[in-house]
Amino acid sequence: MCPPACLLDMPELPEVEVTRRGIEPYVAGRRVQRVDVRNFALRWPVPATLARELEQRVIHKVERRGKYLLFELDDGWLIVHLGMTGTLRVLRNLPALPPAARHDHIDWIFDEFVMRFRDPRRFGAVLWHPRASGGVLEHPLLASLGVEPFSSAFSGTLLHRRTRGRTVSIKQALMAGDIVVGVGNIYASESLFRAGIRPSTPAGRVSLPRYELLADAIRATLAAAIDKGGSTLRDFVGSNGESGYFQLDYFVYDRAGLPCHACGVPIRHIVQGQRSTYYCTRCQR
């Protein structure tokens, strides 16, 4: 079994946003003909009524909140989380549609294509939030999430204010998701390198000017990753089956012992909260 230090990284905000952008042009405004659920045993049980709730219903739009995909319909929202190994694929050639494999758990069948959810480790989630229960952002999984990194509410001032008195490391504070969402293990390491901040620094000791640099670095890192289709994490692929390639531009992540692109010093590897962290001892003070 893989030791804690090598826990696999799950799809992060860029991968989820790439999936959303790939899927929405197909499903927005389209009617679901039927839903085939082959396995209800995901991280949380797939609702037994899911097929009935979605059959012959129109999906109006697809949004993202943190790492959750939100499919809006008249009567509520389909909530999808990719977990550690989940993918949503659009399969367009219906006459030659490949048969469902072992880990292909759910199909949404439209008139000209199928949207298929695959999840080998079954840590993902497919849930239904009825409109009668309130807005989707009131769902327990979404209600306590931090701000979106591309929203106007996210800033260095916010990071500085919310970390006063906190002794946890800055990297762990970023990944907690209660201040800002979507900054997972890979992009936290990369953003901290861009901002020149050592990942082990206590969050409460980072100054406002450095947090302003970090907020800009987070936005720049996530935007670059989205533009390049995300990172190739295990078997992650986008909705069209293509892998991302942002990993080719990593400054520090998964580069232990290799020279820093900026100064040539070997990249250091440590473990924080059972997750691998990578940084440059010279560039990150």
Side-chain angles (χ1 to χ4, degrees):
M1 180 178 293
C2 184
C6 66
L7 286 174
L8 293 174
D9 287 302
M10 66 180 66
E12 299 184 17
L13 184 151
E15 289 76 44
V16 178
E17 178 63 19
V18 167
T19 298
R20 187 198 70 79
R21 294 183 184 187
I23 286 173
E24 187 179 42
Y26 288 96
V27 305
R30 305 297 290 272
R31 188 179 303 276
V32 180
Q33 301 299 316
R34 73 176 194 276
V35 180
D36 291 344
V37 182
R38 288 177 288 273
N39 190 341
F40 288 84
L42 299 181
R43 182 176 183 182
W44 298 286
V46 176
T49 62
L50 185 71
R52 184 171 69 250
E53 298 287 359
L54 272 64
E55 186 173 343
Q56 296 302 315
R57 301 297 203 280
V58 173
I59 295 176
H60 297 302
K61 59 183 176 180
V62 186
E63 297 182 305
R64 179 192 53 74
R65 181 70 173 102
K67 300 177 186 179
Y68 293 90
L69 291 168
L70 312 176
F71 297 74
E72 184 175 1
L73 295 85
D74 283 336
D75 297 332
W77 290 265
L78 176 70
I79 302 174
V80 177
H81 193 287
L82 299 180
M84 295 184 73
T85 56
T87 58
L88 276 177
R89 296 275 304 278
V90 172
L91 307 174
R92 291 177 288 178
N93 190 6
L94 287 185
L97 183 68
R102 175 184 176 187
H103 301 302
D104 295 337
H105 303 309
I106 303 176
D107 281 351
W108 291 264
I109 295 92
F110 295 80
D111 55 356
E112 298 174 353
F113 63 92
V114 170
M115 183 174 70
R116 176 167 288 175
F117 179 72
R118 174 180 174 83
D119 187 4
R121 298 191 70 181
R122 292 189 294 154
F123 287 158
V126 176
L127 303 171
W128 174 251
H129 181 76
R131 197 172 292 274
S133 297
V136 69
L137 298 184
E138 299 173 23
H139 189 280
L141 292 173
L142 306 177
S144 62
L145 293 180
V147 302
E148 290 286 333
F150 294 116
S151 73
S152 60
F154 178 59
S155 66
T157 299
L158 173 72
L159 290 172
H160 185 261
R161 183 176 71 248
R162 293 288 303 276
T163 54
R164 294 309 85 193
R166 296 184 66 171
T167 58
V168 67
S169 74
I170 177 57
K171 179 168 180 277
Q172 291 171 291
L174 288 178
M175 292 179 59
D178 58 333
I179 302 175
V180 58
V181 296
V183 187
N185 197 37
I186 293 174
Y187 301 113
S189 289
E190 291 295 299
S191 298
L192 287 165
F193 175 82
R194 289 185 184 224
I197 299 173
R198 186 160 296 193
S200 57
T201 304
R205 293 180 56 187
V206 179
S207 67
L208 176 57
R210 300 191 84 192
Y211 268 127
E212 290 173 341
L213 290 174
L214 180 56
D216 289 341
I218 289 171
R219 281 189 289 263
T221 299
L222 295 177
I226 291 170
D227 287 344
K228 296 191 175 182
S231 298
T232 299
L233 312 171
R234 303 162 315 280
D235 59 348
F236 172 77
V237 292
S239 59
N240 59 359
E242 296 180 358
S243 298
Y245 55 96
F246 183 71
Q247 71 278 0
L248 300 178
D249 292 339
Y250 287 164
F251 287 108
V252 291
Y253 187 82
D254 202 25
R255 299 190 66 248
L258 296 176
C260 173
H261 291 316
C263 72
V265 168
I267 297 299
R268 181 76 59 85
H269 169 257
I270 60 173
V271 177
Q272 295 178 284
Q274 298 187 336
R275 307 304 295 273
S276 289
T277 294
Y278 302 88
Y279 70 100
C280 174
T281 57
R282 178 176 294 174
C283 295
Q284 295 173 257
R285 301 288 185 178

